[in-house]
Amino acid sequence: MTAPTEAADQTAADPSARIEVLLVGMNGDLRGKMIPLKAEDKVWKNTVRLPASTQSLDIWGDDNDDITKISLTLGDPDGICTPDKNSLTTLPWGPAGSKQVLATMHTLSGEPHFVCPRAILANVMKRFEEKGLTPVVATELEFYVMEPDFRDTGVPMPPKALVMNGEVEGYQLYDMRATAAMEDFLDTVREYCDHMGLPADATTAEFGPGQFEVNLLHKPDAMAAADDCIYLKRVVDFAARRHGFKATCMAKPYGDHAGSGLHVHASIIDRDGRNILDAKGGDPVKLKSITAGMLKSMQDAQLIFAPFANSYRRFQPGSFAPDKIDWGFGNRGTAIRIPDKDGPAARIEHRVAGADANPHLLLAAILGGILLGLEEDLDPGQVTTPDSAPENPDMLTYDFLTAVERFRSSAFIADIFGAEYQRIYGDTKRKEAMAFLRTVSSFDYQTYLPRI
């Protein structure tokens, strides 16, 4: 986390100022405690505790003790919320002087808890450190802004400022009229990012009505990059509230408009700060090998990239959300894109994940795939170009339950995430998938009741 602005640091604290201690849950949700600022010392003395089960709650907030066996089975024991000083930043929507900090769950005996997404990512980062390597990571987050009455109307609606004569006028990709119409909201996003020291770069209008993207600058610290991304999601949420909107990172809120992605750029530097992916004008051997590692692990890890039933509505042929396991140079239609192969900017762009992905688990999965390509010389196969593509490529699945079963049986997932986390995450998602399969929708009734 970049240090908050000096002005923010010098803001006089309000008597009601607080520090929020935040844990990243399984679904990328933030749970924690609100501590009066005058009692901040207890945060740094590691005396803030929460049940470890708070990090394995499903999308509905159920602890699923029948699956996890870490809640009532064990008496719902506490874990220690160990704050990461690197993530300490301001809370711009709170009383003056308020702060927030991300924490890693530890057991009472002091070890990082296997169920904590930050601890999982830290373990993967350690494997790079042992090789004398450092991942350099940046994220690009897409999201929708909508009117707040979706619970009353039953459907989301774009902001009224983007609607002309009762309809949204065409696609808004890079349309400066769309950014101008939402200028107040976007200014607040920028204000909050600046206040918190988030390295927000370009903001663009995307395809869908009320859809925008914010790019975060790269960091030679994958944990900090994941923290930045989850903080950006929080910024967007609170900026939308301030202006009377709802913001969502739901992968596919509109059936007939583009889904929202979370793209990840990554390169690798050695102890001397050199980018080991730099092809120096020749054959990008390392780039192709790590690309192959990510492609090889992609089916097994799709549940991390697409963690919900709605996530699978985003994978559609002919869209910018890839459905094939392929790669290309500068090709935004492929799962892995290589924007640059020469020089310090040589890197990959992983384009599979939806905006609904947990950033810490996402980076753990991507970096795990990169490790495969660093430990072996792998071949990614035929490159996809505008003129040619592999015949019968392996495919990502359109089905939630298929992704669940691939995840649950994967040796790669057990290696990167740990066998116990694989079991808990996989079985929890299987329960979620079965709930959706059992649910008969209004579309079912509209389609089948009159005709069968």
Side-chain angles (χ1 to χ4, degrees):
M1 177 63 55
T2 305
T5 62
E6 185 176 342
D9 284 340
Q10 294 175 352
T11 302
D14 186 286
S16 59
R18 61 185 185 265
I19 179 169
E20 295 184 0
V21 182
L22 306 169
L23 291 167
V24 181
M26 176 184 289
N27 296 304
D29 49 326
L30 291 174
R31 298 175 186 270
K33 283 189 176 181
M34 188 183 294
I35 310 291
L37 200 60
K38 60 186 178 183
E40 182 182 0
D41 280 356
K42 68 170 62 176
V43 175
W44 307 110
K45 291 178 180 177
N46 291 344
T47 61
V48 177
R49 297 183 178 185
L50 279 173
S53 60
T54 55
Q55 293 197 286
S56 63
L57 303 178
D58 67 19
I59 192 61
W60 297 289
D62 188 349
D63 64 14
N64 290 307
D65 186 58
D66 57 324
I67 292 172
T68 67
K69 309 297 185 187
I70 62 172
S71 183
L72 283 179
T73 295
L74 301 177
D76 206 15
D78 277 341
I80 301 170
C81 303
T82 305
D84 182 351
K85 288 186 178 179
N86 292 327
S87 72
L88 177 66
T89 187
T90 60
L91 190 74
W93 47 85
S98 294
K99 306 174 186 179
Q100 55 187 323
V101 67
L102 290 165
T104 299
M105 175 68 76
H106 284 66
T107 65
L108 295 181
S109 55
E111 299 87 14
H113 203 294
F114 78 88
V115 81
C116 178
R118 294 183 93 250
I120 291 170
L121 177 55
N123 285 337
V124 178
M125 292 170 63
K126 186 176 180 181
R127 291 165 72 163
F128 280 86
E129 184 180 349
E130 290 168 350
K131 295 177 179 293
L133 300 174
T134 301
V136 179
V137 182
T139 60
E140 300 171 347
L141 178 70
E142 297 172 345
F143 56 89
Y144 273 91
V145 185
M146 56 189 60
E147 292 296 326
D149 56 355
F150 66 97
R151 291 194 187 278
D152 298 326
T153 62
V155 293
M157 293 295 294
K160 292 182 176 64
L162 297 173
V163 178
M164 296 288 188
N165 301 318
E167 294 184 358
V168 178
E169 293 191 346
Y171 299 113
Q172 62 167 45
L173 184 64
Y174 304 133
D175 191 336
M176 298 306 293
R177 293 171 299 176
T179 54
M182 298 296 291
E183 184 175 14
D184 290 346
F185 161 74
L186 295 173
D187 282 349
T188 299
V189 170
R190 180 70 58 178
E191 172 195 333
Y192 286 171
C193 286
D194 289 346
H195 202 283
M196 293 171 60
L198 286 178
D201 190 31
T203 300
T204 57
E206 283 292 328
F207 273 102
Q211 188 184 33
F212 297 92
E213 178 184 271
V214 176
N215 297 342
L216 292 168
L217 296 175
H218 65 270
K219 291 232 176 128
D221 181 340
M223 187 69 72
D227 290 349
D228 285 350
C229 185
I230 209 157
Y231 271 145
L232 177 59
K233 289 188 177 190
R234 201 170 199 223
V235 161
V236 168
D237 177 20
F238 279 88
R241 296 187 198 190
R242 177 169 162 178
H243 292 277
F245 297 124
K246 163 67 179 172
T248 183
C249 289
M250 184 177 177
K252 191 76 171 175
Y254 299 102
D256 53 352
H257 292 293
S260 291
L262 174 49
H263 300 158
V264 176
H265 291 251
S267 59
I268 310 293
I269 57 175
D270 63 18
R271 287 190 176 96
D272 298 320
R274 292 178 298 218
N275 184 355
I276 69 168
L277 305 182
D278 180 5
K280 298 181 174 64
D283 187 14
V285 176
K286 282 288 186 187
L287 264 173
K288 290 198 289 188
S289 187
I290 69 161
T291 294
M294 287 181 288
L295 296 177
K296 183 178 180 180
S297 57
M298 194 167 282
Q299 287 181 328
D300 291 1
Q302 189 177 356
L303 187 61
I304 296 294
F305 310 143
F308 307 110
N310 175 263
S311 308
Y312 294 82
R313 300 188 188 280
R314 179 173 157 266
F315 298 105
Q316 298 185 12
S319 76
F320 283 99
D323 62 345
K324 301 177 183 65
I325 298 178
D326 59 358
W327 70 286
F329 292 102
N331 190 329
R332 285 187 169 86
T334 55
I336 303 294
R337 169 179 175 253
I338 298 179
D340 289 293
K341 68 180 184 67
D342 298 312
R347 67 192 188 279
I348 60 88
E349 180 187 11
H350 192 287
R351 297 182 57 81
V352 178
D356 52 353
N358 178 322
H360 296 81
L361 298 181
L362 169 62
L363 293 192
I366 291 173
L367 295 179
I370 288 175
L371 280 171
L372 293 180
L374 291 173
E375 292 165 353
E376 301 179 48
D377 291 329
L378 301 177
D379 182 357
Q382 182 183 347
V383 63
T384 296
T385 72
D387 300 318
S388 66
E391 291 185 13
N392 303 315
D394 289 336
M395 302 292 291
L396 292 164
T397 183
Y398 304 107
D399 178 64
F400 188 19
L401 191 56
T402 299
V404 168
E405 299 306 339
R406 286 174 175 172
F407 179 94
R408 293 170 76 230
S409 62
S410 166
F412 167 78
I413 293 298
D415 177 51
I416 296 300
F417 292 86
E420 189 63 3
Y421 194 77
Q422 178 185 34
R423 180 188 69 79
I424 287 176
Y425 189 94
D427 288 359
T428 300
K429 291 298 174 182
R430 189 177 193 282
K431 184 176 180 179
E432 185 178 329
M434 295 305 296
F436 275 89
L437 281 175
R438 287 193 299 268
T439 301
V440 181
S441 71
S442 59
F443 187 60
D444 287 71
Y445 294 132
Q446 293 167 11
T447 302
Y448 301 115
L449 275 180
R451 295 173 176 83
I452 297 175

